[in-house]
Amino acid sequence: MEKELNLKKNIGFFVSTSLVIGTVIGSGIFMKPGIVLSSTANSTMALLAWIIGGVITLASGLTIAEVSVKIPRTGGLYAYIEEVYGEKWGFLCGWVQTLVYGPAVMGALSLYFGSLLADFFGFHGSSKVIGIITIILLGGLNILGTQLGGFIQTISTAGKLVPIILIAVFGILQGDVSVFNAESGSSTQALNMGAAVLATLWAYDGWMNVGFMAGEMKNPSKTLPRAIISGIVIVILAYLSVNIAMLHVLSASKIVELGPNAATAAASSLFGSIGGKILAIGILISIFGCLNGKILTFPRVTFAMAERNFLPGSKVLSSIHPKFNTPVGSTVFQIVLALVMMIFWNPDRLSDMAIFAVFLFYGLAFNAIFILRKKDKGGNKLYKVPLYPITPIVAILGTLYIIGSTIINAPIDALVSIGIAIVGLPVYWRLKSTIRSEDKYKAS
């Protein structure tokens, strides 16, 4: 199923930029303002956390853009790690994405969606049940056909921008609450900027996908970096605008108290009960579409590994639906893992676990640029990351900061992710041994 395609180079700057924006904006801007404020205990420091998260994201995206141009393979992060560091590290990357990152992201989004939908209809205490039903429903729809999942994605992408623009514009113009240096009323005894930045990175997550478009761009050496810079800068400005607008409408302590419902409350304050509900629907559409996109794409990593017999139960995990031609085995597996996580963890812990798990390998991908530059020896005239080596160093330092902060502030969650990665080593050696034995048997 995994074949190299002769892609038409018909994507220009504006389409590329819109794709960057569409893949990044999801649930985080609506779910995380309260967490960021709670961690910093001060509105000014909270806004600074959003800026730091944006700078790390921009440096990361620009660095990966060059890596993706130098390694024009399908598979994204998994392919980059395997190409530069070897099969074992590629396996561990795919292993962690399969067992932690993918299901944790889907589980968190489902729980966030369930919480907002339960609040919208007044179904108090039913948020987890709604989240479970939602992920099962979307999983089934994506198994029925990629086209159907793609249609849902197209509709939701348009819907997600409406509440962001309206809250940002009207909140800034009409609000009368002091924005800066407002105390959040949090019980936090000390500034926890690491936790705050980690929360913002959930909102910025998705930027890794921007490098996948290089093969379809008219002039990737120029279009890709411009699209990344423009797209991420627009997202940073949008996130800052929404946070400033919410702080201008609601007090910092109220945003912390309302948590994931703060954006809906701000919309109701600005546009009345009916207007607030309409915008709440827009927010729900945004999260619903983001979840659908993850269910559409994450199982592809599991499927790609299973096709190479690189996972236990590869035959089942690489199965394709006979009628709909979708990766049914890997999709069901990812959904089941997400459901288990939803039962035992809350969405904020799942989102932090997901970001920590994937940043373990993002750091390797950023460092890969130095290895690739040495091999290239200046012969490659394609896109090169601006301000090299400062930009990739910023990305690497940001990664180390996030990993260190998570280990200090949430050691159990960090140990779970690291433990799963370590368990992957004996699994890899066992699978390699099995593959070698089968090859010898076939040869004889």
Side-chain angles (χ1 to χ4, degrees), residues 30 39 79 214 350 426 431:
F30 308 118
S39 299
L350 284 179
L431 289 171

Side-chain angles (χ1 to χ4, degrees), residues 25 30 59 81 83 187 261 273 310 333 354 403 413:
I25 293 177
F30 308 118
I81 298 295
E83 180 78 17
S187 59
N261 297 308
S273 177
F310 262 20
F333 179 69
I403 291 174
D413 295 343

Side-chain angles (χ1 to χ4, degrees), residues 53-63 207 228-230 232-233 236 391:
V55 170
I56 293 173
T57 301
L58 183 58
S60 303
L62 290 171
T63 302
W207 57 264
I228 290 174
I229 293 171
S230 301
I232 294 179
V233 166
I236 293 171
T391 301

Side-chain angles (χ1 to χ4, degrees), residues 27 29-35 111-112 115-116 119 246 255-265 283 287 347-348:
S27 68
I29 184 55
F30 308 118
M31 300 294 102
K32 293 299 186 179
I35 298 294
L111 289 172
Y112 284 138
S115 174
L116 288 183
D119 183 73
M246 288 175 61
I255 293 173
V256 172
E257 178 189 334
L258 290 168
N261 297 308
T264 304
I283 295 171
I287 299 175
D348 291 325

